[in-house]
Amino acid sequence: MILVHKEKCIGCGSCERDCFSHTIQVRAGKAEVLGKCMECGHCLAVCPTEAVEMEGYDQAEVFSGSREECMVAPADFLRFLQFRRSTRQYEKRPVESEKLAQILEAGRYTPTARNRQDVHFVFVQEQMPQIREMIWEGFREMAEQWEDPGYRRMLLEFCKDRQANPENDRLFCGAPVLLVLTCAYPWNGELTARTMELMAESLGLGSLYSGFIQRAIGNSKAAQQALSIEGERIAACLLLGYPAVRYLRSVPRKKAHVTWL
């Protein structure tokens, strides 16, 4: 709920102009909240006198400044993206809880449609051995039922290789952390996963999106129960950990298919 401290409000109209839902308006020289809104916080962020408060949220998280003070140099950001690789080799060491907390914060601050903030974050590290086996069981059943024969043969080869040598895990690649995101509107989870992945990369971690794991969890009631996501819609699965490989250069990409109008 949005609260306006009338004694601080100067009636400048900044909040009204930036309110997409037209819920806050200036009347008789003071801003008023006329109904329930999306609680996006734009009115709080734009107010020059700190007259707006969001009830039910931690105001200690709010800091003052300018967008320019938080900017990353465009050339640096582009090089960061160019050097990013999907990691399929991980060191056998856990990820510190402090770094996982930072990744969570990046996800929590990701914009969501209609500001729903509806993403359920599940981090698996301590219980990875047990949950990994449940997911592998779902993967095996999924592989046996796969319609395309060529693809089914490849997936069953994954299972055969791991059965012969448990270290040959082509599904989890030795990653110590699995992040599962669920939400009613999958695009919110997809956007959030991308933000969290970039934070992980900035912390020196590697990451890998896994559609195989996502589908295998959907095929395993035991895994869904263990992850506390029964009845929820999986939006993305990310493997995280310290890379056991060091890349020395970026790689080229195809030219963009773009239309300028």
Side-chain angles (χ1 to χ4, degrees):
M1 181 176 177
I2 302 299
L3 300 177
V4 177
H5 297 285
K6 297 294 181 69
E7 72 279 5
K8 294 182 178 180
C9 178
I10 59 175
C12 66
S14 296
C15 56
E16 180 178 350
R17 287 189 294 273
D18 209 38
C19 180
F20 181 75
S21 60
H22 304 295
T23 303
I24 191 167
Q25 295 180 15
V26 176
R27 294 185 173 182
K30 299 289 182 178
E32 291 187 17
V33 181
L34 306 180
K36 186 172 175 57
C37 67
M38 296 189 297
E39 298 184 354
C40 66
H42 280 223
C43 53
L44 182 154
V46 78
C47 180
T49 61
E50 300 184 5
V52 181
E53 181 181 340
M54 293 177 66
E55 193 176 42
Y57 291 82
D58 185 0
Q59 295 299 123
E61 294 181 351
V62 178
F63 62 91
S64 299
S66 67
R67 183 170 179 265
E68 289 72 24
E69 292 172 350
C70 303
M71 294 291 284
V72 178
D76 292 341
F77 185 62
L78 180 57
R79 288 180 68 83
F80 175 72
L81 294 177
Q82 289 171 328
F83 215 87
R84 183 260 173 204
R85 305 254 57 77
S86 292
T87 301
R88 292 181 174 85
Q89 299 180 66
Y90 293 91
E91 293 183 4
K92 292 183 178 180
R93 60 164 163 151
V95 176
E96 299 87 342
S97 58
E98 295 81 6
K99 290 192 175 183
L100 296 180
Q102 287 179 279
I103 294 169
L104 174 60
E105 285 297 274
R108 195 165 68 92
Y109 274 93
T110 302
T112 51
R114 295 185 63 188
N115 195 36
R116 291 183 182 275
Q117 301 178 53
D118 60 341
V119 180
H120 179 192
F121 306 89
V122 182
F123 285 87
V124 180
Q125 180 160 236
E126 290 186 6
Q127 298 183 36
M128 177 68 99
Q130 306 95 296
I131 291 177
R132 182 171 53 223
E133 291 304 319
M134 297 176 192
I135 294 173
W136 259 109
E137 185 59 35
F139 181 83
R140 278 189 288 270
E141 294 178 6
M142 179 186 76
E144 291 167 357
Q145 300 164 5
W146 205 279
E147 293 183 1
D148 181 86
Y151 227 97
R152 182 170 62 248
R153 190 162 46 249
M154 181 188 73
L155 299 183
L156 289 173
E157 196 69 30
F158 281 19
C159 301
K160 182 180 177 182
D161 289 346
R162 185 170 185 265
Q163 187 174 11
N165 178 9
E167 292 295 317
N168 192 359
D169 189 333
R170 295 165 70 184
L171 188 58
F172 285 85
C173 305
V177 178
L178 169 64
L179 171 60
V180 180
L181 304 179
T182 73
C183 56
Y185 298 85
W187 50 85
N188 286 341
E190 293 161 7
L191 287 170
T192 301
R194 182 58 170 157
T195 305
M196 298 178 83
E197 176 217 347
L198 292 176
M199 175 58 84
E201 296 281 336
S202 77
L203 292 167
L205 301 172
S207 61
L208 176 68
Y209 287 94
S210 179
F212 284 152
I213 290 177
Q214 183 172 341
R215 296 189 65 164
I217 293 173
N219 203 51
S220 170
K221 292 294 183 183
Q224 293 169 36
Q225 291 173 357
L227 294 166
S228 300
I229 60 169
E230 289 179 279
E232 298 180 19
R233 187 172 183 176
I234 302 174
C237 291
L238 267 175
L239 294 171
L240 301 169
Y242 286 99
V245 56
R246 183 169 180 264
Y247 296 104
L248 303 177
R249 59 194 59 83
S250 64
V251 299
R253 284 284 188 261
K254 294 179 181 178
K255 298 298 182 183
H257 179 192
V258 59
T259 302
W260 303 97
L261 298 176

